[in-house]
Amino acid sequence: RSKDRGGGVFHAYEPQLHADAEERRVLELELRQALERRQLALHYQPVVEAASGTLRGFEALLRWNHPRLGSIGPDRFIAIAEETRLISPIGEWVARTACEEAARWPGDLRVAVNVSPEQLTNPHFVTVIASALVQSRLPAHRLELEVTEGVFMREGTGATRVLEQVLDLGVRLSLDDFGTGYSSLGYLSRTRFSSIKIDRSFVVSAAKGVPEPLAIIRAVVALARSLGMATTAEGVETEAELAMVRELGCSNIQGYYFGRPLPVAEAREVIRRGSTNARAA
Ligand code: C2E
Ligand code: MG
Ligand code: MG
Ligand code: MG
């Protein structure tokens, strides 16, 4: 729009730029206090086995219940947390809280926790995870850590060594948002991933009949299988998407079709009812 005004281009953008910087500065200050003020919460999204629809566990997703702004999603504050090193205490809280919650769940239900590359540059991270497991008494194999390809772009930070040490604890590891970053088959075969999560963008376009993403999902499923890894299709919302990822042989499915990320009490209710269809509630 501002382009039409010719010379006014830069002026037209300034107020917005200023507002963004201001919002960021305020959020950064407030994020420092969010933990101690108990404004952070985890929501839990069901992950089900594709073939049977059986509930396998939940992914823990961070929310910030901001006093003025309401519920804020991680896309608006994780980057700030990473840049200010607040990600360490926040990530520690996430791991402890998720392990304590999952320890109450019956059977072998798993909890998946997102870990940003920044956390893995801290050698103390291994101790954090070990301690979260010990204190919650959650068996290590019921904790799954999700990392993105970004972890492998950090040569020289020690991130991959920390990852190896965490894996030695017996936790599972999955590769999140696969296909959206700079994928390399090298680290895929070198790292002990239990599963590959196929990004929602592939699911959406493949279900619309676009041939390339369809071919990619098919190839990733075959690759994962031959490396002894499972696959999780992310962001399955519709009947058509569900049918497609089942047909392609994805092991697990996650998405609004089976349930949105739920507050802890509602996640427990899903477990109690033995049904993953949160929409039926
Ligand atoms: P992610 O790990 O790829 O998580 C999946 C995201 O997709 C979540 O967004 C989830 O709510 C959303 N989603 C799930 N099913 C569907 C669906 O069917 N349709 C659509 N449109 N979206 C779906 P959310 O909760 O906003 O989280 C965004 C990202 O923030 C996560 O992506 C993850 O990278 C990061 N994140 C979340 N919690 C944490 C955390 O505790 N620590 C760190 N470091 N990052 C986190
Ligand atoms: Mg994730
Ligand atoms: Mg993902
Ligand atoms: Mg994502």
Side-chain angles (χ1 to χ4, degrees):
R1 242 175 292 134
S2 51
K3 232 197 318 195
D4 303 335
R5 280 183 239 135
V9 169
F10 297 107
H11 291 291
Y13 276 110
E14 260 171 20
Q16 186 52 39
L17 268 180
H18 181 72
D20 288 349
E22 181 64 17
E23 184 201 76
R24 227 188 126 86
R25 203 181 57 80
V26 171
L27 282 186
E28 184 181 322
L29 284 171
E30 293 173 328
L31 189 55
R32 291 189 190 279
Q33 290 150 0
L35 252 186
E36 58 193 59
R37 294 186 179 170
R38 297 172 176 272
Q39 292 168 354
L40 298 185
L42 291 180
H43 283 198
Y44 295 89
Q45 184 178 34
V47 179
V48 307
E49 188 176 79
S52 62
T54 311
L55 181 66
R56 302 314 304 262
F58 295 86
E59 176 175 4
L61 294 158
L62 194 55
R63 300 290 180 264
W64 178 7
N65 298 311
H66 191 282
R68 263 181 304 114
L69 304 170
S71 180
I72 306 183
D75 286 337
R76 269 177 78 191
F77 65 87
I78 286 292
I80 299 178
E82 287 174 344
E83 285 159 28
T84 56
R85 297 177 185 269
L86 283 169
I87 196 66
S88 273
I90 291 175
E92 177 164 353
W93 178 84
V94 168
R96 289 189 188 283
T97 306
C99 287
E100 263 154 38
E101 178 56 23
R104 302 162 178 239
W105 300 340
D108 266 340
L109 289 176
R110 299 200 280 258
V111 71
V113 166
N114 292 283
V115 174
S116 55
E118 209 56 51
Q119 290 174 268
L120 290 167
T121 61
N122 182 354
H124 183 60
F125 184 71
V126 187
T127 323
V128 167
I129 298 301
S131 150
L133 290 169
V134 169
Q135 290 198 352
S136 64
R137 304 187 184 204
L138 182 75
H141 71 269
R142 289 178 56 195
L143 173 63
E144 182 171 319
L145 301 180
E146 298 192 358
V147 299
T148 57
E149 292 152 323
V151 166
F152 302 94
M153 304 295 114
R154 307 202 153 209
E155 293 293 324
T157 61
T160 51
R161 200 158 48 90
V162 172
L163 203 54
E164 287 301 317
Q165 290 169 344
V166 178
L167 277 166
D168 287 340
L169 298 172
V171 305
R172 286 171 204 261
L173 183 68
S174 59
L175 185 54
D176 208 350
D177 303 344
F178 185 72
T180 62
Y182 296 90
S183 310
S184 143
L185 300 181
Y187 66 69
L188 241 194
S189 56
R190 279 197 304 272
T191 315
R192 289 171 276 164
F193 288 109
S194 299
S195 74
I196 298 174
K197 300 189 78 168
I198 299 167
D199 194 72
R200 165 170 162 76
S201 53
F202 294 99
V203 173
V204 172
S205 42
K208 282 184 188 148
V210 187
E212 293 83 3
L214 194 67
I216 288 172
I217 298 180
R218 197 172 273 129
V220 172
V221 170
L223 179 68
R225 219 173 252 163
S226 64
L227 293 170
M229 300 168 189
T231 41
T232 301
E234 298 195 88
V236 171
E237 291 185 1
T238 67
E239 201 86 52
E241 289 164 358
L242 175 66
M244 178 206 61
V245 297
R246 269 194 174 138
E247 165 99 23
L248 292 176
C250 291
S251 333
N252 298 309
I253 296 170
Q254 186 178 346
Y256 295 169
Y257 183 87
F258 286 105
R260 290 180 177 258
L262 302 166
V264 59
E266 288 177 45
R268 289 180 192 170
E269 186 61 18
V270 166
I271 296 171
R272 203 186 57 74
R273 283 202 318 266
S275 159
T276 53
N277 193 348
R279 296 173 309 168

